[in-house]
C-alpha cells in the first residue's frame, strides 16, 4: 500500500513537474519576445529622436540670410499692366526664389498662375499660385546645380500643368 501511495505521489509530482516545465517554457518564450520587443522599442525610440532633431532643424528659422539677384519682371506684351519682382534668397537651408506680382489679370474658373524657371527652351515648374485682388507670390527652393536664364509667370487654364500651356504674363532674364 505504501508503494501504491508512493507511485501515486510520484505520478502527481511528475504531472506537476510537467506543468511547471510547460509554464517555464512559456515564460522563456515571453521573455525572449519581450527582449525582442524591447530591442524594437529601443530602435523606434532612437529613430524617433533622430526624426525629432530633423524636424526641429527644419522648423528652425534660417540663419544668415542674404539676398542674391533681384530682377524686375516685365510684362510679356504691351497690353499687360502686371508687374513683379523675382528675388534669389540664400540662407542656411539653401537657395530660394521668391516671386511677387501685382496688378495681375483676374482669374476665371480653374485658371491659375504658374512660375517657370527656364534654361534655353526647357521650363521647370517653380510653383503655382492663385491671386488675391490681383496680387500673388511663390516661394520655391532651387535645386543645386541648375542654372536658369529666365523666370516667367504664365496664366494657365488650371494648376496642373508640368509645361507652360497658357499666356506669358511676366518675365525677366536672370543669371541663375
Amino acid at each position: 500500500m505504501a508503494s501504491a501511495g508512493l507511485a501515486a505521489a510520484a505520478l502527481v509530482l511528475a504531472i506537476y513537474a510537467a506543468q511547471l516545465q510547460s509554464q517555464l517554457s512559456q515564460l522563456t518564450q515571453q521573455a525572449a519576445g519581450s527582449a525582442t520587443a524591447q530591442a524594437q522599442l529601443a530602435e523606434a525610440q532612437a529613430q524617433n529622436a533622430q526624426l525629432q532633431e530633423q524636424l526641429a532643424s527644419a522648423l528652425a528659422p534660417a540663419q544668415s540670410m542674404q539676398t542674391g539677384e533681384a530682377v524686375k519682371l516685365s510684362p510679356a506684351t504691351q497690353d499687360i499692366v502686371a508687374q513683379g519682382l523675382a528675388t534669389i534668397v540664400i540662407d542656411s537651408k539653401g537657395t530660394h526664389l521668391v516671386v511677387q506680382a501685382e496688378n495681375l489679370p483676374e482669374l476665371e474658373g480653374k485658371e491659375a498662375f504658374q512660375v517657370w524657371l527656364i534654361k534655353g527652351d526647357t521650363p521647370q515648374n517653380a510653383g503655382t499660385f492663385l491671386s488675391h485682388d490681383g496680387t500673388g507670390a511663390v516661394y520655391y527652393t532651387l535645386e543645386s546645380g541648375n542654372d536658369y536664364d529666365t523666370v516667367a509667370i504664365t496664366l494657365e487654364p488650371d494648376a496642373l500643368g508640368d509645361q507652360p500651356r497658357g499666356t506669358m504674363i511676366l518675365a525677366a532674364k536672370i543669371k541663375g
Side-chain angles (χ1 to χ4, degrees):
M1 179 131 177
S3 63
L6 282 175
L11 182 61
V12 169
L13 286 175
I15 292 171
Y16 184 65
Q19 288 175 343
L20 287 177
Q21 184 63 37
S22 175
Q23 288 177 352
L24 181 61
S25 293
Q26 289 175 350
L27 289 172
T28 302
Q29 288 174 353
Q30 287 176 356
S34 176
T36 301
Q38 286 187 358
Q40 290 173 343
L41 177 62
E43 183 180 335
Q45 287 172 331
Q47 288 176 344
N48 183 38
Q50 183 181 17
L51 291 172
Q52 290 290 340
E53 287 178 24
Q54 290 174 353
L55 179 60
S57 174
L59 295 177
Q63 302 295 317
S64 66
M65 184 178 355
Q66 55 188 4
T67 302
E69 181 180 13
V71 295
K72 180 180 177 185
L73 298 173
S74 301
T77 62
Q78 290 182 348
D79 61 329
I80 295 174
V81 296
Q83 53 189 330
L85 182 68
T87 306
I88 302 291
V89 177
I90 303 163
D91 62 26
S92 60
K93 295 185 179 190
T95 303
H96 317 280
L97 173 70
V98 179
V99 176
Q100 301 165 298
E102 58 186 28
N103 299 323
L104 292 163
E106 189 172 326
L107 295 173
E108 297 177 9
K110 293 183 178 184
E111 289 181 329
F113 293 102
Q114 284 188 284
V115 177
W116 302 95
L117 289 166
I118 304 168
K119 182 175 185 174
D121 292 332
T122 306
Q124 167 69 43
N125 186 340
T128 302
F129 68 94
L130 302 175
S131 61
H132 179 70
D133 293 332
T135 302
V138 163
Y139 178 88
Y140 178 77
T141 300
L142 297 164
E143 297 173 10
S144 62
N146 287 329
D147 293 328
Y148 301 100
D149 50 54
T150 304
V151 60
I153 298 176
T154 58
L155 174 58
E156 298 292 332
D158 57 47
L160 305 175
D162 58 1
Q163 293 289 316
R165 299 166 289 153
T167 305
M168 187 174 297
I169 304 295
L170 297 169
K173 295 288 184 188
I174 58 174
K175 296 177 187 170

